[in-house]
Amino acid sequence: MSERYYVNSPIADHVVLQGAEARHLAVVCRKRPGDVICLFNGDGCEYRAEITSVDKKRVDLTVIDTTSPPRELPFSLDVACPLPKGDRGQFLIEKLTELGVTSFMPLRTRRSVVHPSESRSEKLERYVIEASKQCGRNVLMRIAPLQFLDDLLRRPELPAQRLLADPSGRPLTRPASLLHTIIAIGPEGGFAEEELAAATAALWQSVSLGPRTLRVETAALAMAALFGHTSTSV
Ligand code: SAH
């Protein structure tokens, strides 16, 4: 895979990179006219493009060809999870992107403490783009608005497979088929009893990942890896 750059607009025959991406290409990667790189904008395709002129504020490119390599899961995998603070939140977003998760929903529960602001969600989108450059995804993981657990449980259009991670749940078994799936993870203080009861009433299955208490991000990534992996094992 050649070096990948993100463009926040539709890609036609001629593309202009500006801002941080142009600077990175020109100053950090020291690319020159004639070099070939890869562009993506989240539309599912990647575009091989040749650099025609370089300046640290502006890079001009001509698109050579377009492909759409299959790097997405063949089903939707949504993760609702309270956002851990600081670097742990960044780590979680990057790894969920790499694992192919369709959308991340920052979750608000009775015991959660961090509730990302608008500016934080722009940052989260930046982490998604950086991780997508590295892992080759051409569709960006969506960052959904903050979601209240009670609203999420009641949403009518949820996937058939709805899982809530909780140490008191039934032991998790390997999923057999490629189903649209949503996974909910609790905050450091865990789900409250009434939240667990509401989830069961809304036909969510409560599942355990074993006898140890995992950090929020470990539980989210373990669940995403288990459920995302089925795409390659059948
Ligand atoms: N003291 C809390 C632990 C919270 S850990 C409690 O007893 O629930 C934060 C979240 O990570 C949990 O709400 C759950 O969603 C997930 N988690 C942590 N360890 C887990 C395990 N062993 N099995 C399933 N989910 C787990």
Side-chain angles (χ1 to χ4, degrees):
M1 211 172 354
S2 11
E3 238 160 280
R4 290 162 53 83
Y5 293 84
Y6 176 73
V7 187
N8 185 17
S9 60
I11 296 180
D13 296 347
H14 177 243
V15 177
V16 180
L17 275 187
Q18 286 170 311
E21 293 289 270
R23 205 186 137 68
H24 184 73
L25 185 150
V27 180
V28 182
C29 302
R30 298 175 164 275
K31 295 286 177 198
R32 295 285 168 260
D35 289 346
V36 173
I37 57 136
C38 181
L39 298 170
F40 71 106
N41 66 358
D43 68 357
C45 298
E46 61 187 26
Y47 301 80
R48 262 188 344 127
E50 182 178 331
I51 300 169
T52 52
S53 71
V54 184
D55 179 275
K56 60 180 183 241
K57 291 203 174 120
R58 177 189 167 113
V59 177
D60 287 73
L61 304 111
T62 303
V63 172
I64 304 167
D65 58 29
T66 307
T67 51
S68 45
R71 300 202 184 114
E72 295 305 305
L73 301 176
F75 52 90
S76 66
L77 179 58
D78 301 318
V79 174
C81 177
L83 187 67
K85 279 190 202 140
D87 290 352
R88 291 169 48 214
Q90 176 173 356
F91 178 80
L92 174 63
I93 296 297
E94 286 173 1
K95 303 306 145 195
L96 290 177
T97 304
E98 290 169 37
L99 289 169
V101 167
T102 313
S103 73
F104 173 78
M105 303 170 182
L107 186 64
R108 183 164 185 163
T109 69
R110 289 197 186 31
R111 295 182 188 151
S112 54
V113 282
V114 181
H115 306 123
S117 60
E118 276 295 300
S119 61
R120 179 86 172 133
S121 82
E122 271 171 33
K123 261 200 190 149
L124 301 186
E125 277 155 14
R126 202 63 233 168
Y127 303 150
V128 171
I129 291 169
E130 290 308 317
S132 301
K133 282 188 195 171
Q134 175 272 320
C135 75
R137 271 186 91 169
N138 294 312
V139 176
L140 302 180
M141 178 173 80
R142 193 170 89 84
I143 303 288
L146 184 69
Q147 194 87 97
F148 285 81
L149 179 69
D150 294 340
D151 296 340
L152 177 68
L153 294 177
R154 278 199 298 263
R155 262 177 38 184
E157 77 287 14
L158 289 175
Q161 181 151 254
R162 306 190 273 271
L163 301 159
L164 182 129
D166 189 73
S168 69
R170 69 164 170 76
L172 181 61
T173 46
R174 233 342 154 62
S177 55
L178 309 176
L179 296 173
H180 297 303
T181 300
I182 183 164
I183 293 164
I185 309 291
E188 295 300 348
F191 288 112
E193 278 309 319
E194 55 274 37
E195 290 175 325
L196 292 172
T200 307
L203 304 180
W204 286 61
Q205 296 169 47
S206 169
V207 293
S208 160
L209 289 160
R212 290 165 301 282
T213 301
L214 308 175
R215 299 300 291 257
V216 170
E217 64 275 25
T218 315
L221 292 169
M223 292 285 282
L226 274 166
F227 284 85
H229 182 69
T230 52
S231 65
T232 53
S233 62
V234 290

